[in-house]
Amino acid sequence: MTPQITFKSALPWLIVFALAALIPVFTSNRYILDVAVNIMIWTIAAYGLNVMLGYAGILQLAHAGFFGIGAYTVGILTLKAGWSFWLAWPAGVALCAVLGLLLGLVAFRTGRETFPIFTLGVGVIITQVINKWDALTGGNDGLNGIQAPKLGSIDFGRGAAFFYLGLITLGLVIFLVARVRSSMFGRSLIAIQGSEDLARTLGINVFSHQLRVMMLSTAIAGLAGGFYAVYIGFMGAAITGVAQTFVVLLYLLVGGVGTLAGPLIGTALMFFLGEQLKNFGDYQFIVFGPLLILMVMFAPGGIAGLWSKTMFARQKPPPPADRSQQEATDAGV
């Protein structure tokens, strides 16, 4: 049964976020805050992929493309249309949701087996369109000068304000995903993942649920992308590439597909490891590759899944002793 949200289950999350909120209090080091914000951005993106792959069992390979659409929407609307970030950001999320719906209307009709390949092709098309549409996206030159948002007297381009905006956004996304996971909709998605035919016999509209989870997934990707755009201040087509989708997928596989904590754990661990190895360039995959193989072999449920399994094993009561053992114990042997 899908777990319900209770104070006991939420307490570890509250502790983690309370500790995270203290980071800017104890350090003003720009590098540390930069790594922390990037981890939050890519964790949000990983949660978007997790609701598709982890709950519905559907691998969608245009995820970075929707991340880029959200980012470019914010960049274009703020730079060229003069919109406020606070209007452009939800507009980017809404656009990604609508495009996710349109993609789903076509892609889900191709069949579950061909769905990943279809979305892979769409991801390539998104990158090419962004890269070639010079008048709108800047083409190879990208978008420069995207300004950090302001809210009254708060300038999110300075100090710890951006960190706390990211932390609040991440917290809201985790809360939303947790609610979805514990809802009837989430339970229906898990049933669809197990067997679409069985789900239909239970009265579940499989196609409708798939479209809704597609919209949710792409909307979360656009949310992360819009936040990324104003934090980095520059957008290039490379961030929308299929390779970036596989990076997010790596975060998810290491953390634990279908788990609530997996995207956060996997992204934090792998992004931090990538920062330590970034001077090695593409050679860092010599480390990532074997690590992923070991995770698949020994912890297919990821770190979060392995932890849950270990804790469950610890909580299991010891097997009852057989009669002869019990008699020996009673006799003092």
Side-chain angles (χ1 to χ4, degrees), residues 218-283:
T218 55
I220 294 175
L223 181 75
F227 191 76
Y228 178 86
V230 292
Y231 184 70
I232 300 298
F234 165 80
M235 278 305 302
I239 203 65
T240 70
V242 175
Q244 192 61 46
T245 295
F246 282 103
V247 170
V248 178
L249 180 60
L250 174 65
Y251 296 159
L252 189 55
L253 290 173
V254 171
V257 177
T259 63
L260 189 58
L264 177 59
I265 296 172
T267 305
L269 175 63
M270 297 306 295
F271 190 90
F272 179 77
L273 182 59
E275 281 294 302
Q276 306 309 308
L277 300 174
K278 66 180 180 180
N279 292 332
F280 293 95
D282 291 339
Y283 292 105

Side-chain angles (χ1 to χ4, degrees), residues 58-73:
I58 302 169
L59 178 58
Q60 192 267 103
L61 295 177
H63 199 66
F66 287 98
F67 180 94
I69 289 172
Y72 270 92
T73 300

Side-chain angles (χ1 to χ4, degrees), residues 5-203:
I5 301 175
T6 63
F7 178 76
K8 183 178 180 180
S9 63
L11 183 59
W13 289 100
L14 296 175
I15 294 173
V16 168
F17 273 82
L19 293 175
L22 295 176
I23 292 177
V25 176
F26 290 101
T27 181
S28 58
N29 186 297
R30 183 59 185 265
Y31 174 74
I32 294 176
L33 295 180
D34 182 68
V35 169
V37 171
N38 273 281
I39 287 174
M40 288 187 282
I41 292 171
W42 292 110
T43 298
I44 293 171
Y47 274 106
L49 189 60
N50 194 37
V51 295
M52 280 284 288
L53 181 59
Y55 299 164
I58 302 169
L59 178 58
Q60 192 267 103
L61 295 177
H63 199 66
F66 287 98
F67 180 94
I69 289 172
Y72 270 92
T73 300
V74 169
I76 292 168
L77 290 179
T78 55
L79 283 176
K80 299 187 177 184
W83 284 35
S84 164
F85 165 75
W86 306 106
L87 294 176
W89 198 16
V93 173
L95 177 61
C96 287
V98 171
L99 293 177
L101 171 63
L102 296 177
L103 174 58
L105 286 171
V106 178
F108 284 120
R109 297 184 187 279
T110 64
R112 194 183 188 99
E113 294 76 15
T114 56
F115 182 89
I117 303 301
F118 188 92
T119 56
L120 178 65
V122 171
V124 173
I125 292 172
I126 291 173
T127 302
Q128 290 301 313
V129 169
I130 289 174
N131 200 35
K132 301 299 182 182
W133 200 346
D134 293 359
L136 184 65
T137 66
N140 290 325
D141 295 330
L143 292 176
N144 290 286
I146 303 173
Q147 297 297 313
K150 294 182 179 180
L151 185 62
S153 60
I154 303 175
D155 185 351
F156 288 93
R158 298 196 304 266
F162 221 119
F163 175 92
Y164 287 116
L165 177 60
L167 191 64
I168 292 170
T169 305
L170 175 58
L172 292 175
V173 168
I174 293 175
F175 178 74
L176 171 64
V177 172
R179 288 296 301 269
V180 168
R181 186 175 181 229
S182 62
S183 68
M184 185 60 68
F185 173 62
R187 296 173 185 175
S188 298
L189 289 177
I190 294 173
I192 292 171
Q193 179 181 8
S195 172
E196 291 187 13
D197 292 335
L198 179 59
R200 289 189 182 95
T201 63
L202 296 174

